[in-house]
Amino acid sequence: MKNGMRKKATIYDLSVLSGNSPSTVSAVLNGTWRKRRIKETTAALIRDLAEKYQYTANRQAQGLRSSRSGLVGLLLPVHDNRYFSSMAQTFEAHVRSKGQCPIVVSASRDPQEERDTAATLISYSIDELFICGATDPDGVHEVCEKAGLKHINIDLPGSKVASVISDNYEGGRMLTEAIIRQFPADKPLAPEELYLFGGRNDHASHERIRGFRAVKRELLAGDPDICIQTTGYSPNNTRIAFEAFYKQEGRLPRALFVNSSINFEGFLRFMAGHPHETFADMVVGCYDYDPFASFLPFPVIMIRQDIESMLAKAFEVMEEPRSAPTVHMIRPELIKPRTALAGPLDALKDID
């Protein structure tokens, strides 16, 4: 088969080109090759040939043969957020590597919309659903369970099915300690000078706040309740909270723990209305990573949640027999100020 031919390759073409049986090629393309103990080098060769010769699976024919559509869903709360967009990008790459087709949708943190969207995806005969950051994961579970659809929670846990989440308590501890130790010994931070802004009454916020308070008590010997300002995840609500604090105190705290990059956007909106001097000599920690924020004129320490490991574990658990709902926690990474990391967008290919 010549590379310049318009006709796309079939499994049998790839079998001839790779020197492997059609069943081996099929196992690589549908993601079951590890179960058959096919070598990694063989799988890589077949995937490279499939891309080179523009192999496209016939989803309709596959569905008729296997009662599977090859469609795998990811339900997000929002798209406009680096953490969730990276989640989507990494998810899509993983699904495509298994020869399947990803479908990514959002439900805007609306519990009813989450259930309705899950029902719509089920009507399109998706094979699996990854439920990320759902406001009501158990409500989505009920919809999936009724339809007999395999599903798993990511980012926020549910009580009915397995979940893979960040270790938010440990991440909260790591970030709080890094903020405190950023201050010199001759100008130490006092307990009332370190505030947490953002988050709401969800598992992730609760665990981050628990870690924040534990480290403040250990290192600063104090933890005033007033230092916790839960604003929800709205950037505008966060901005309003900063404006109210500034109006009352005439200044900002010396140190801030901002509960997510969405809340950090609210902080940036507050910054836009105030002079540079307002932010001199302060230290900020953000529980999420964004390379642009990392290069602000004051130190910004960040927590990067390990999306790659979270998804790898979720796909692994999805293949296991159904068991009691277990929460699998993945340790996040502390990122120093002025750091630009590689991400899923680096995998994009330039096309001439």
Side-chain angles (χ1 to χ4, degrees):
M1 180 177 180
K2 295 181 180 179
N3 193 22
M5 294 178 66
R6 290 186 178 181
K7 181 182 177 182
K8 294 182 179 180
T10 67
I11 283 179
Y12 300 100
D13 293 325
L14 297 179
S15 172
V16 172
L17 289 165
S18 67
N20 292 282
S21 68
S23 64
T24 297
V25 173
S26 178
V28 170
L29 297 176
N30 67 28
T32 62
W33 57 276
R34 285 189 177 88
K35 293 181 180 179
R36 292 186 49 186
R37 298 183 180 179
I38 295 170
K39 294 181 179 178
E40 177 78 45
T41 52
T42 300
L45 170 64
I46 291 170
R47 285 196 297 265
D48 288 344
L49 289 169
E51 180 177 350
K52 180 178 180 181
Y53 292 102
Q54 299 180 311
Y55 170 79
T56 303
N58 185 331
R59 302 285 173 207
Q60 187 174 23
Q62 285 184 343
L64 290 172
R65 289 193 299 269
S66 65
S67 297
R68 291 174 63 86
S69 66
L71 305 176
V72 183
L74 173 65
L75 177 59
L76 296 174
V78 292
H79 290 285
D80 189 17
N81 169 287
R82 179 173 288 271
Y83 170 64
F84 290 121
S85 64
S86 295
M87 180 76 73
Q89 194 80 17
T90 306
F91 171 82
E92 289 182 357
H94 196 113
V95 171
R96 289 193 177 102
S97 75
K98 299 172 65 177
Q100 297 170 302
C101 180
I103 299 178
V104 180
V105 293
S106 68
S108 303
R109 300 191 187 276
D110 182 328
Q112 185 59 51
E113 188 65 32
E114 289 170 355
R115 293 190 290 272
D116 291 345
T117 301
T120 300
L121 290 171
I122 290 168
S123 74
Y124 282 93
S125 301
I126 61 170
D127 296 328
E128 298 168 346
L129 181 60
F130 291 71
I131 305 161
C132 179
T135 301
D136 181 19
D138 287 349
V140 181
H141 160 79
E142 291 176 4
V143 176
C144 295
E145 188 75 0
K146 186 176 180 180
L149 178 68
K150 292 181 68 175
H151 56 289
I152 190 168
N153 297 309
I154 309 175
D155 183 61
L156 288 176
S159 64
K160 307 294 185 181
V161 73
S163 304
V164 180
I165 65 172
S166 286
D167 188 342
N168 288 293
Y169 173 72
E170 182 60 26
R173 289 185 59 91
M174 291 161 59
L175 186 57
T176 307
E177 180 175 353
I179 293 168
I180 293 169
R181 297 197 184 284
Q182 188 74 22
F183 288 86
D186 60 337
K187 294 182 180 179
L189 197 63
E192 65 276 8
E193 294 179 316
L194 173 55
Y195 272 67
L196 184 149
F197 278 77
R200 58 185 174 86
N201 186 28
D202 63 0
H203 182 273
S205 296
H206 178 268
E207 289 300 289
R208 293 169 194 174
I209 291 171
R210 191 166 70 90
F212 171 82
R213 304 195 80 156
V215 171
K216 282 191 71 175
R217 287 191 288 267
E218 292 169 14
L219 299 184
L220 302 180
D223 176 33
D225 289 338
I226 191 63
C227 293
I228 307 293
Q229 302 281 324
T230 51
T231 65
Y233 284 119
S234 163
N236 194 51
N237 286 350
T238 308
R239 178 192 62 80
I240 291 170
F242 277 113
E243 293 287 4
F245 182 94
Y246 188 76
K247 183 177 181 179
Q248 178 176 323
E249 303 293 333
R251 57 173 177 77
L252 288 177
R254 290 181 69 198
L256 292 173
F257 181 126
V258 183
N259 195 45
S260 77
S261 60
I262 302 175
N263 295 127
F264 199 90
E265 183 178 337
F267 176 60
L268 294 178
R269 292 182 188 180
F270 168 81
M271 284 183 63
H274 296 270
H276 171 73
E277 293 74 21
T278 306
F279 312 98
D281 302 323
M282 72 180 306
V283 176
V284 177
C286 178
Y287 203 105
D288 263 338
Y289 170 71
D290 188 297
F292 298 105
S294 188
F295 288 86
L296 285 168
F298 46 81
V300 180
I301 309 162
M302 296 186 165
I303 287 289
R304 178 185 177 272
Q305 302 186 69
D306 190 349
I307 291 169
E308 296 82 3
S309 295
M310 290 170 67
L311 281 171
K313 185 63 178 180
F315 276 97
E316 176 188 320
V317 172
M318 191 72 94
E319 293 183 0
E320 298 173 353
R322 180 79 173 268
S323 60
T326 303
V327 177
H328 305 269
M329 290 197 292
I330 306 298
R331 182 184 173 88
E333 177 184 8
L334 185 72
I335 307 298
K336 296 179 180 179
R338 302 185 64 79
T339 301
L341 301 175
L345 292 178
D346 290 297
L348 294 178
K349 298 178 181 179
D350 291 328
I351 299 176
D352 296 330

